[in-house]
Amino acid sequence: GQIIPERRYVEAINRQAYQYEMGDFPTEWEAWIRKKRNDPPTIEEILKNENYREEMKQKVKDLSEKDQLLQAKEYKEGLVAEPVHTHVKGHASAPYYGKKEPLQDPTSTASAFQPGSWMPPGSGSSSS
């Protein structure tokens, strides 16, 4: 009176079972083995899906190239600002980096705190 579940497996040909890696089997077969689909895939279905994936990869590549050309044209014409390249000074865990002149605003770097300094009006670098 015990129901034994169906076992699905693939016999390895020209390789030992441990030599197979993820992606060696078509995804349709893996779906059937893992019982995500009821019927095993046909060769025509696998080829059709593989051609579709290759076609999509080519379309994505073409679209990406077209987008890069359009971006370059927009940068050249001044329609879009070019991305800013950020220059990093020091590191967040460094106690001090950059200029060592007193600042009007307090600064905090990692565990170090530098209180702000009083500067006469009109002489400051950040009060303008």
Side-chain angles (χ1 to χ4, degrees), residues 10-25 30:
V10 175
E11 292 182 12
I13 299 174
N14 299 329
R15 283 197 211 174
Q16 296 298 320
Y18 67 88
Q19 291 175 322
Y20 282 95
E21 295 180 9
M22 188 72 168
D24 284 350
F25 294 110
E30 287 198 30

PDB file of all heavy atoms in Angstrom, residues 10-25 30:
ATOM      1  N   VAL A  10      19.535  10.825 -15.423  1.00  0.00           N
ATOM      2  CA  VAL A  10      20.199  10.829 -16.719  1.00  0.00           C
ATOM      3  C   VAL A  10      21.436   9.961 -16.587  1.00  0.00           C
ATOM      4  O   VAL A  10      22.184  10.076 -15.618  1.00  0.00           O
ATOM      5  CB  VAL A  10      20.596  12.266 -17.127  1.00  0.00           C
ATOM      6  CG1 VAL A  10      21.400  12.262 -18.409  1.00  0.00           C
ATOM      7  CG2 VAL A  10      19.370  13.123 -17.281  1.00  0.00           C
ATOM      8  N   GLU A  11      21.653   9.097 -17.556  1.00  0.00           N
ATOM      9  CA  GLU A  11      22.847   8.265 -17.559  1.00  0.00           C
ATOM     10  C   GLU A  11      23.960   9.027 -18.252  1.00  0.00           C
ATOM     11  O   GLU A  11      23.794   9.539 -19.361  1.00  0.00           O
ATOM     12  CB  GLU A  11      22.575   6.948 -18.280  1.00  0.00           C
ATOM     13  CG  GLU A  11      21.617   6.047 -17.535  1.00  0.00           C
ATOM     14  CD  GLU A  11      21.399   4.731 -18.248  1.00  0.00           C
ATOM     15  OE1 GLU A  11      22.158   4.418 -19.193  1.00  0.00           O
ATOM     16  OE2 GLU A  11      20.469   4.022 -17.854  1.00  0.00           O
ATOM     17  N   ALA A  12      25.107   9.086 -17.604  1.00  0.00           N
ATOM     18  CA  ALA A  12      26.257   9.812 -18.144  1.00  0.00           C
ATOM     19  C   ALA A  12      26.904   9.000 -19.263  1.00  0.00           C
ATOM     20  O   ALA A  12      27.143   7.806 -19.117  1.00  0.00           O
ATOM     21  CB  ALA A  12      27.260  10.081 -17.039  1.00  0.00           C
ATOM     22  N   ILE A  13      27.169   9.646 -20.394  1.00  0.00           N
ATOM     23  CA  ILE A  13      27.845   9.010 -21.519  1.00  0.00           C
ATOM     24  C   ILE A  13      29.147   9.748 -21.757  1.00  0.00           C
ATOM     25  O   ILE A  13      29.181  10.971 -21.833  1.00  0.00           O
ATOM     26  CB  ILE A  13      26.968   9.071 -22.791  1.00  0.00           C
ATOM     27  CG1 ILE A  13      25.650   8.324 -22.553  1.00  0.00           C
ATOM     28  CG2 ILE A  13      27.703   8.479 -23.984  1.00  0.00           C
ATOM     29  CD1 ILE A  13      24.674   8.451 -23.691  1.00  0.00           C
ATOM     30  N   ASN A  14      30.229   9.011 -21.887  1.00  0.00           N
ATOM     31  CA  ASN A  14      31.575   9.535 -22.145  1.00  0.00           C
ATOM     32  C   ASN A  14      32.131  10.379 -21.003  1.00  0.00           C
ATOM     33  O   ASN A  14      33.139  11.044 -21.168  1.00  0.00           O
ATOM     34  CB  ASN A  14      31.617  10.368 -23.440  1.00  0.00           C
ATOM     35  CG  ASN A  14      31.251   9.555 -24.652  1.00  0.00           C
ATOM     36  OD1 ASN A  14      31.497   8.352 -24.711  1.00  0.00           O
ATOM     37  ND2 ASN A  14      30.650  10.203 -25.629  1.00  0.00           N
ATOM     38  N   ARG A  15      31.472  10.396 -19.872  1.00  0.00           N
ATOM     39  CA  ARG A  15      31.957  11.127 -18.700  1.00  0.00           C
ATOM     40  C   ARG A  15      31.492  10.402 -17.459  1.00  0.00           C
ATOM     41  O   ARG A  15      30.483   9.715 -17.467  1.00  0.00           O
ATOM     42  CB  ARG A  15      31.391  12.544 -18.635  1.00  0.00           C
ATOM     43  CG  ARG A  15      32.009  13.527 -19.561  1.00  0.00           C
ATOM     44  CD  ARG A  15      31.651  14.915 -19.074  1.00  0.00           C
ATOM     45  NE  ARG A  15      31.552  15.834 -20.193  1.00  0.00           N
ATOM     46  CZ  ARG A  15      31.151  17.078 -20.092  1.00  0.00           C
ATOM     47  NH1 ARG A  15      30.769  17.554 -18.949  1.00  0.00           N
ATOM     48  NH2 ARG A  15      31.113  17.864 -21.127  1.00  0.00           N
ATOM     49  N   GLN A  16      32.216  10.624 -16.391  1.00  0.00           N
ATOM     50  CA  GLN A  16      31.756  10.132 -15.102  1.00  0.00           C
ATOM     51  C   GLN A  16      30.749  11.142 -14.553  1.00  0.00           C
ATOM     52  O   GLN A  16      30.812  12.326 -14.881  1.00  0.00           O
ATOM     53  CB  GLN A  16      32.936   9.979 -14.126  1.00  0.00           C
ATOM     54  CG  GLN A  16      33.951   8.936 -14.561  1.00  0.00           C
ATOM     55  CD  GLN A  16      33.335   7.549 -14.631  1.00  0.00           C
ATOM     56  OE1 GLN A  16      32.547   7.180 -13.770  1.00  0.00           O
ATOM     57  NE2 GLN A  16      33.687   6.787 -15.661  1.00  0.00           N
ATOM     58  N   ALA A  17      29.857  10.685 -13.718  1.00  0.00           N
ATOM     59  CA  ALA A  17      28.799  11.556 -13.203  1.00  0.00           C
ATOM     60  C   ALA A  17      29.367  12.764 -12.471  1.00  0.00           C
ATOM     61  O   ALA A  17      28.820  13.864 -12.546  1.00  0.00           O
ATOM     62  CB  ALA A  17      27.888  10.766 -12.287  1.00  0.00           C
ATOM     63  N   TYR A  18      30.489  12.617 -11.762  1.00  0.00           N
ATOM     64  CA  TYR A  18      31.051  13.739 -10.996  1.00  0.00           C
ATOM     65  C   TYR A  18      31.675  14.805 -11.893  1.00  0.00           C
ATOM     66  O   TYR A  18      31.966  15.908 -11.443  1.00  0.00           O
ATOM     67  CB  TYR A  18      32.085  13.239  -9.972  1.00  0.00           C
ATOM     68  CG  TYR A  18      33.339  12.654 -10.598  1.00  0.00           C
ATOM     69  CD1 TYR A  18      34.413  13.469 -10.923  1.00  0.00           C
ATOM     70  CD2 TYR A  18      33.449  11.295 -10.849  1.00  0.00           C
ATOM     71  CE1 TYR A  18      35.555  12.952 -11.491  1.00  0.00           C
ATOM     72  CE2 TYR A  18      34.584  10.761 -11.411  1.00  0.00           C
ATOM     73  CZ  TYR A  18      35.637  11.587 -11.739  1.00  0.00           C
ATOM     74  OH  TYR A  18      36.769  11.078 -12.303  1.00  0.00           O
ATOM     75  N   GLN A  19      31.888  14.514 -13.184  1.00  0.00           N
ATOM     76  CA  GLN A  19      32.515  15.483 -14.084  1.00  0.00           C
ATOM     77  C   GLN A  19      31.511  16.489 -14.650  1.00  0.00           C
ATOM     78  O   GLN A  19      31.900  17.488 -15.222  1.00  0.00           O
ATOM     79  CB  GLN A  19      33.194  14.753 -15.246  1.00  0.00           C
ATOM     80  CG  GLN A  19      34.410  13.954 -14.817  1.00  0.00           C
ATOM     81  CD  GLN A  19      34.990  13.151 -15.967  1.00  0.00           C
ATOM     82  OE1 GLN A  19      34.265  12.612 -16.783  1.00  0.00           O
ATOM     83  NE2 GLN A  19      36.306  13.077 -16.011  1.00  0.00           N
ATOM     84  N   TYR A  20      30.229  16.219 -14.488  1.00  0.00           N
ATOM     85  CA  TYR A  20      29.214  17.142 -14.990  1.00  0.00           C
ATOM     86  C   TYR A  20      29.091  18.347 -14.074  1.00  0.00           C
ATOM     87  O   TYR A  20      29.201  18.234 -12.866  1.00  0.00           O
ATOM     88  CB  TYR A  20      27.854  16.444 -15.115  1.00  0.00           C
ATOM     89  CG  TYR A  20      27.761  15.576 -16.339  1.00  0.00           C
ATOM     90  CD1 TYR A  20      28.041  14.225 -16.272  1.00  0.00           C
ATOM     91  CD2 TYR A  20      27.415  16.120 -17.562  1.00  0.00           C
ATOM     92  CE1 TYR A  20      27.975  13.423 -17.403  1.00  0.00           C
ATOM     93  CE2 TYR A  20      27.341  15.332 -18.696  1.00  0.00           C
ATOM     94  CZ  TYR A  20      27.621  13.986 -18.607  1.00  0.00           C
ATOM     95  OH  TYR A  20      27.552  13.215 -19.715  1.00  0.00           O
ATOM     96  N   GLU A  21      28.865  19.498 -14.677  1.00  0.00           N
ATOM     97  CA  GLU A  21      28.693  20.738 -13.926  1.00  0.00           C
ATOM     98  C   GLU A  21      27.361  21.368 -14.316  1.00  0.00           C
ATOM     99  O   GLU A  21      26.753  20.986 -15.314  1.00  0.00           O
ATOM    100  CB  GLU A  21      29.837  21.703 -14.233  1.00  0.00           C
ATOM    101  CG  GLU A  21      31.183  21.196 -13.767  1.00  0.00           C
ATOM    102  CD  GLU A  21      32.298  22.179 -14.076  1.00  0.00           C
ATOM    103  OE1 GLU A  21      31.996  23.312 -14.499  1.00  0.00           O
ATOM    104  OE2 GLU A  21      33.462  21.801 -13.900  1.00  0.00           O
ATOM    105  N   MET A  22      26.957  22.358 -13.532  1.00  0.00           N
ATOM    106  CA  MET A  22      25.713  23.070 -13.804  1.00  0.00           C
ATOM    107  C   MET A  22      25.798  23.696 -15.194  1.00  0.00           C
ATOM    108  O   MET A  22      26.789  24.329 -15.546  1.00  0.00           O
ATOM    109  CB  MET A  22      25.521  24.160 -12.744  1.00  0.00           C
ATOM    110  CG  MET A  22      24.202  24.812 -12.802  1.00  0.00           C
ATOM    111  SD  MET A  22      22.994  23.657 -12.199  1.00  0.00           S
ATOM    112  CE  MET A  22      21.611  24.709 -12.021  1.00  0.00           C
ATOM    113  N   GLY A  23      24.780  23.507 -15.989  1.00  0.00           N
ATOM    114  CA  GLY A  23      24.755  24.072 -17.330  1.00  0.00           C
ATOM    115  C   GLY A  23      25.176  23.093 -18.408  1.00  0.00           C
ATOM    116  O   GLY A  23      25.077  23.396 -19.592  1.00  0.00           O
ATOM    117  N   ASP A  24      25.671  21.897 -18.042  1.00  0.00           N
ATOM    118  CA  ASP A  24      26.038  20.905 -19.043  1.00  0.00           C
ATOM    119  C   ASP A  24      24.809  20.314 -19.724  1.00  0.00           C
ATOM    120  O   ASP A  24      24.868  19.910 -20.874  1.00  0.00           O
ATOM    121  CB  ASP A  24      26.865  19.780 -18.414  1.00  0.00           C
ATOM    122  CG  ASP A  24      28.303  20.207 -18.132  1.00  0.00           C
ATOM    123  OD1 ASP A  24      28.706  21.289 -18.596  1.00  0.00           O
ATOM    124  OD2 ASP A  24      29.016  19.448 -17.449  1.00  0.00           O
ATOM    125  N   PHE A  25      23.697  20.233 -19.012  1.00  0.00           N
ATOM    126  CA  PHE A  25      22.452  19.733 -19.576  1.00  0.00           C
ATOM    127  C   PHE A  25      21.612  20.914 -20.022  1.00  0.00           C
ATOM    128  O   PHE A  25      21.631  21.967 -19.388  1.00  0.00           O
ATOM    129  CB  PHE A  25      21.631  18.967 -18.523  1.00  0.00           C
ATOM    130  CG  PHE A  25      22.277  17.700 -18.061  1.00  0.00           C
ATOM    131  CD1 PHE A  25      22.788  17.611 -16.779  1.00  0.00           C
ATOM    132  CD2 PHE A  25      22.356  16.603 -18.883  1.00  0.00           C
ATOM    133  CE1 PHE A  25      23.374  16.453 -16.332  1.00  0.00           C
ATOM    134  CE2 PHE A  25      22.938  15.437 -18.440  1.00  0.00           C
ATOM    135  CZ  PHE A  25      23.456  15.353 -17.169  1.00  0.00           C
ATOM    136  N   GLU A  30      16.888  19.639 -17.340  1.00  0.00           N
ATOM    137  CA  GLU A  30      16.988  19.843 -15.891  1.00  0.00           C
ATOM    138  C   GLU A  30      15.613  20.079 -15.287  1.00  0.00           C
ATOM    139  O   GLU A  30      15.321  19.596 -14.202  1.00  0.00           O
ATOM    140  CB  GLU A  30      17.921  21.011 -15.573  1.00  0.00           C
ATOM    141  CG  GLU A  30      19.366  20.662 -15.819  1.00  0.00           C
ATOM    142  CD  GLU A  30      20.313  21.594 -15.117  1.00  0.00           C
ATOM    143  OE1 GLU A  30      19.960  22.125 -14.053  1.00  0.00           O
ATOM    144  OE2 GLU A  30      21.417  21.782 -15.646  1.00  0.00           O
TER     145      GLU A  30
END
